């Protein structure tokens, strides 16, 4: 699904990611863990085109129809089917909950702006579908009752779920979640884990997620990548990661 | 059900507006009719700037320039040949424009198209990089247009300006097009493109991560806004009958900005109400700029006093009530 080859990202003197390699297989839930400042969010930013890597390549759909997406714009990458959520929630704050999800559909629209203004049948048809899909996704994340409220008036946990619904509206194949459980209580966290597994199956997603809650990572990820100071220090299934001496030293031990 | 209700409400609003305009058109004197027309024109101008600055979150200060393009296009296209000859006594008009005489509506649309075209030509390079410089670029553009129009004597008649532009603007044109603009804005902002403009204003990083092409959407919004500013400028030219380059100074842009900020950035209703209030207030407060004779004492007016007052109001709103005076909630 996604291959990262020898990716290095430097910010001036800071090496946020150092010769990072990863191969994410289709249909998997892959976790990315590591201490604060390890470079996890930077890797997401490089994949989604927010930053162009200093070195290395990002390949989407490796194999037959592979695409080199290194250096593409974020909107182009989203159109190809990679969407994300943000560690520091970035909703369209002043807009309604429903509009937030509705806007997630916009990238797939085929009618032009004049059809939208004149409300031509082709636009109306698309709009109706977009609206239905948005409502369905809101129901999925349990926010259907709050659809008319402003996004920023939602409590923290619900804002995180709204971000996921918005990302799903773009019809991604690969979904990147940056600390989806941050700020959630244990109950919400458990629901989130079920939810992630559920949407993975329903929408045939591949999921790459950053998380600090070990319960989440160990509970739902089939493959885990461990990052420290921008470098990959371990990789494997949850059991092997938990017993890996490098990881215990660099990360789990200090916690 | 909901749509139907809204349709009924809109229809009754429309009928009331038409009846009121009909009556006002009969009873008002020439001066008051002119103010009424100005209200309609400023609704168009306020909405067009709100589209760019309020709904999309760009910062443009080029309105006077786009209005000048619309105004001159309409003037040159609609003035009959003999009138042009009278105007261009210093230097004759270029031959291919000398005998052109279009009717009002196509000329007005052409004014919008020309303004939109210039909007696109300035917007595209600036918005491709970053819109931080849009304010400066558009401000510069508006001043350049004024200087260019002052110096292209064989097209614009330079500093002498143009007199005797057919007075085609009436209440039906100004308010008719104001209503069309209100509908245009309402439908645009309800649709998915308009919502994408809003998303860009709210958070550019999130918007582009959701697949919205920032460049094409910003250029779209900016070009529509410029088009409407051109139409407003054209209506103004055909209302006043006389234009010259100095009419289109930055103060004009400032007046429209005042309407937009008072009415609330991103509020259609707000801009409409605010356009009417500001236009009437500008006229009503004209006495501040002139001297007042109270019989026993004569107060000397200060030229520009109105602008000082409006500037103070503008600053107060920006500081104390950013959402505008008229925006609900
Ligand atoms: N835009 C940037 N400019 C400069 N330094 C950055 C930038 N983004 C991230 N960094 C640096 O890169 C390192 C990794 O940051 P980040 O990827 O956010 O870590 P994590 O998500 O693992 O906590 C940090 O030292 C951070 O300061
Ligand atoms: Mg991070």
């Amino acid at each position: 699904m996604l291959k990262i080859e020898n990716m290095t990202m430097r910010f001036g003197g800071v090496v946020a990611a150092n010769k990072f390699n990863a191969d994410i297989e289709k249909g998997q839930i892959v976790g990315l863990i590591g201490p604060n400042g390890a470079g996890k969010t930077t890797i997401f930013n490089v994949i989604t085109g927010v930053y162009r890597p200093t070195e290395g390549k990002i390949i989407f759909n490796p194999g037959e129809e592979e695409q080199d997406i290194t250096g593409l714009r974020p909107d182009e990458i989203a159109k190809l089917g990679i969407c994300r959520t943000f560690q520091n929630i970035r909703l369209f704050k002043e807009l309604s909950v429903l509009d937030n999800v509705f806007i997630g559909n916009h990238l797939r629209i085929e009618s032009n702006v004049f059809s939208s203004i004149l409300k031509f049948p082709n636009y109306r048809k698309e709009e109706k579908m977009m609206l239905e899909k948005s409502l369905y996704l809101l129901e999925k994340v349990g926010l259907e009752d709050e659809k008319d409220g402003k996004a920023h008036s939602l409590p923290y946990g619900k804002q995180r779920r709204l971000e996921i619904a918005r990302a799903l509206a773009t019809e991604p194949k690969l979904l990147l979640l940056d600390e989806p459980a941050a700020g959630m209580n244990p109950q919400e966290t458990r629901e989130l884990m079920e939810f992630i597994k559920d949407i993975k199956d329903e929408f045939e997603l591949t999921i790459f997620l950053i998380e600090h809650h070990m319960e989440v990572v160990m509970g739902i990820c089939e493959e885990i990548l461990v990052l420290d100071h921008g470098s990959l220090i371990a990789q494997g299934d949850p059991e092997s990661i938990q017993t890996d001496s490098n990881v215990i030293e660099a990360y789990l031990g200090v916690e | 059900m909901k749509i139907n209700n809204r349709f009924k409400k809109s229809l009754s609003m429309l009928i009331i507006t038409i009846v009121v305009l009909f009556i006002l058109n009969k009873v008002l004197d020439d001066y008051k009719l002119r103010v009424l027309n100005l209200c309609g024109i400023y609704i168009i101008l306020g909405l067009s700037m709100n589209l760019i600055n309020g709904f999309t979150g760009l910062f443009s200060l080029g309105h006077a320039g786009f209005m000048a393009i619309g105004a001159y296009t309409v003037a040159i296209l609609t003035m009959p040949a003999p009138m042009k000859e009278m105007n261009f006594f210093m230097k004759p008009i270029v031959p291919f424009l000398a005998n052109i005489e279009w009717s009002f509506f196509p000329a007005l649309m052409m004014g919008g198209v020309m303004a939109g075209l210039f909007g696109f030509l300035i917007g595209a390079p600036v918005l491709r990089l970053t819109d931080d410089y849009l304010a400066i670029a558009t401000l510069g553009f508006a001043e350049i247009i004024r200087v260019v129009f002052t110096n292209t004597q064989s097209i614009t008649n330079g500093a002498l300006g143009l007199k005797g532009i057919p007075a085609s603007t009436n209440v039906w044109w100004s308010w008719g097009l104001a209503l069309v603009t209100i509908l245009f804005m309402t439908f645009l902002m309800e649709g998915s493109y308009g919502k994408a403009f809003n998303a860009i204003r709210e958070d550019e990083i999130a918007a582009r991560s959701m697949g919205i092409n920032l460049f094409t959407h910003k250029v779209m919004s900016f070009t529509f806004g410029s088009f409407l500013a051109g139409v407003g400028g054209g209506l103004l030219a055909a209302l006043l009958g006389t234009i010259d380059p100095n009419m289109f100074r930055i103060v004009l842009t400032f007046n429209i900005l005042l309407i937009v900020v008072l009415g609330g950035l991103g509020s259609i209703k707000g801009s409409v109400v605010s356009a009417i209030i500001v236009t009437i207030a500008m006229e009503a407060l004209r006495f501040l700029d002139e001297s007042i004779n109270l019989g026993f004492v004569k107060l000397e007016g200060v030229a520009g006093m109105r602008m000082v007052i409006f500037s103070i109001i503008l600053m107060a709103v920006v500081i104390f009530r950013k959402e505008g005076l008229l925006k609900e909630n």
Side-chain angles (χ1 to χ4, degrees), chain A residues 2 4 7 9 11 40-54 57-60 68-86 174 176, chain B residues 204-212 214:
Chain A
L2 188 80
I4 303 172
M7 190 273 285
M9 182 76 227
F11 297 106
K40 305 180 296 296
T41 298
T42 301
I43 288 172
F44 272 23
N45 282 333
V46 170
I47 297 172
T48 55
V50 176
Y51 302 135
R52 175 192 269 277
T54 319
K57 268 204 239 174
I58 318 291
I59 311 286
F60 188 43
D68 183 348
I69 60 166
T70 327
L72 290 187
R73 287 195 316 266
D75 56 291
E76 294 173 314
I77 292 173
K79 281 205 180 87
L80 290 174
I82 302 180
C83 200
R84 68 177 295 179
T85 63
F86 295 89
L174 172 65
L176 310 179
Chain B
E204 290 202 354
I205 292 179
R208 61 187 185 153
S209 298
M210 295 307 124
I212 295 170
L214 296 186

Side-chain angles (χ1 to χ4, degrees), chain A residues 97-106 126-144 147 162 165-166 168-171, chain B residues 195:
Chain A
V97 168
L98 176 59
D99 278 350
N100 268 269
V101 185
F102 184 82
I103 288 163
N105 290 275
H106 180 67
E126 274 194 290
E127 186 181 63
K128 188 160 171 274
M129 276 160 51
M130 285 159 72
L131 212 57
E132 275 165 16
K133 195 170 104 196
S134 307
L135 290 170
Y136 174 72
L137 289 171
L138 281 179
E139 206 182 299
K140 203 84 222 148
V141 295
L143 291 174
E144 68 271 33
K147 70 181 167 66
L162 178 56
R166 181 180 68 178
L168 288 176
T170 67
E171 296 173 7
Chain B
K195 297 215 164 123

Side-chain angles (χ1 to χ4, degrees), chain A residues 9-12 14-17 32-45 50-51 87 178-179 210 212 227 229-230:
Chain A
M9 182 76 227
R10 260 183 235 115
F11 297 106
V14 181
V15 185
L32 178 60
I33 62 172
N36 266 330
K40 305 180 296 296
T41 298
T42 301
I43 288 172
F44 272 23
N45 282 333
V50 176
Y51 302 135
Q87 181 179 347
D178 197 343
E179 306 199 10
I210 297 173
H212 279 302
L227 201 65
H229 293 108

Side-chain angles (χ1 to χ4, degrees), chain A residues 13 17 19 21-22 47 57 64 70 85 88-89 92-93 98 114 122 162 171 175 179 184 223 237 244 254:
Chain A
K19 296 207 170 63
N21 282 285
I47 297 172
K57 268 204 239 174
E64 322 248 293
T70 327
T85 63
N88 325 301
I89 304 177
F92 306 125
K93 292 197 194 76
L98 176 59
F114 297 105
N122 61 337
L162 178 56
E171 296 173 7
L175 180 63
E179 306 199 10
M184 287 189 176
E223 172 91 3
D237 56 41
D244 189 295
V254 253

